[in-house]
Amino acid sequence: MIELRSLGHACFTLSDGQHTLVFDPYLRGNPQAVCGPEDLKVDCILVSHGHGDHLGDAVEIAKATGAPVVGVAELCRYCGQQGVSTVPGHIGGRLELPFGWVKITPAWHGSAVQTEAGTEYTGLACGFLVNMGGRTVYFAGDTGVFGDMAMIRRWSEIDVAILPIGDTYTMGIEDALIAVELLRPGLCVPMHYNTFDRIQQDPKDFARRAEGMGVRCRVLAPGESASL
Ligand code: NI
Ligand code: MN
C-alpha cells in the first residue's frame, strides 16, 4: 500500500512507508501549502519543469535532505549547478530508483527558470510514471491533453492519474476528462487549480463527471491523503 498526500497546488508526496518522494515541491509562497520545505523528509524529488510553481523549493530540500532531484537533463543540470545531486533522464527513459522505477513522460508545456540574469530555459517539461509499492502513479505535470496519453497507458496500467484541471496554463476540466478517457486510471486526482485567480475551477464538477465515465475520482484538499 502507498500513501498519496496533497501539499497544495501540484505538490504531492508518495510514500510506501519506507521511501517518500515528492512531486513539484512548491511550498514557500504557495498560498495552498500546508507545510514548509523544512518539514519534508524525502528520499527523492521529482520536478516536472522549471517554472517557479513546480521547481519551487527543490534545491533547498535537496540540500537539506541529500535527496536527488529527478527530471530531464537540462533541469537537472541547472539544479546540479546549485550544488545538489541529480538523477537526470529524458522523455521515454526509465530510471531505476531505490523504491521502484520512474519513466519520464511527455508534457506539452514550457520550462524555464527566472534568474537574476534573466530567463534560463531548462529543457522540455515532462510528467512522470512512477512505480512504487506495486502501484503505478501517473503525475502529468503541467500539460495540455495529448493523444499519446493512450501510449502512456501502454507502458503500464495506471492505478492513479494526477491531472491538472486549472485551465489557462494547462488542461481544463473538459480536456482533463479526455485525458481520463485515454488513460483509464483506477483513480484520478485533480491538481493545479484554485491556487491563483486564473486557474479557478470546481474540482467537484470534474469528480462528478469522471465518476460518470466510470472512473473513481478523489479530490484531495491540501493536507489530505489517500491510501492506494
Ligand atoms: Ni508551468
Ligand atoms: Mn504550473
Side-chain angles (χ1 to χ4, degrees):
M1 198 169 72
I2 55 173
E3 189 180 68
L4 176 71
R5 181 167 187 240
S6 165
L7 301 185
H9 193 54
C11 182
F12 290 82
T13 55
L14 196 62
S15 179
D16 64 3
Q18 208 185 345
H19 307 95
T20 301
L21 64 83
V22 64
F23 295 104
D24 288 354
Y26 163 55
L27 297 167
R28 233 184 264 290
N30 174 354
Q32 292 189 344
V34 293
C35 66
E38 65 282 1
D39 301 314
L40 283 193
K41 304 280 175 281
V42 295
D43 310 289
C44 198
I45 305 163
L46 276 59
V47 181
S48 66
H49 63 295
H51 292 159
D53 60 323
H54 297 265
L55 178 62
D57 309 303
V59 168
E60 180 181 334
I61 296 163
K63 281 184 178 165
T65 61
V69 172
V70 177
V72 302
E74 296 86 347
L75 181 63
C76 283
R77 184 166 171 274
Y78 171 83
C79 292
Q81 286 168 341
Q82 320 297 311
V84 305
S85 69
T86 64
V87 181
H90 229 298
I91 289 165
R94 181 168 136 152
L95 306 168
E96 302 297 333
L97 290 160
F99 57 81
W101 53 259
V102 170
K103 189 150 174 151
I104 301 182
T105 61
W108 283 107
H109 195 70
S111 183
V113 180
Q114 298 303 325
T115 66
E116 280 162 26
T119 300
E120 186 169 333
Y121 285 93
T122 43
L124 294 172
C126 73
F128 299 103
L129 193 62
V130 176
N131 188 266
M132 176 191 261
R135 297 275 191 277
T136 304
V137 176
Y138 171 52
F139 176 86
D142 275 7
T143 186
V145 69
F146 52 92
D148 283 348
M149 283 181 173
M151 186 181 67
I152 295 171
R153 188 177 174 240
R154 280 179 61 173
W155 289 339
S156 172
E157 274 200 32
I158 297 165
D159 295 299
V160 186
I162 308 170
L163 303 170
I165 63 161
D167 217 332
T168 309
Y169 302 104
T170 67
M171 340 183 227
I173 288 176
E174 296 292 336
D175 287 356
L177 290 165
I178 298 173
V180 166
E181 193 181 302
L182 294 168
L183 296 160
R184 301 302 301 178
L187 177 76
C188 58
V189 175
M191 67 167 168
H192 208 276
Y193 59 88
N194 295 355
T195 322
F196 314 111
D197 284 349
R198 301 189 70 217
I199 57 172
Q200 294 295 322
Q201 295 292 334
D202 177 7
K204 290 198 177 115
D205 177 45
F206 172 71
R208 216 165 19 242
R209 292 166 68 184
E211 304 256 358
M213 294 162 57
V215 175
R216 286 187 306 129
C217 183
R218 183 80 194 270
V219 176
L220 290 178
E224 268 191 331
S225 47
S227 294
L228 315 169

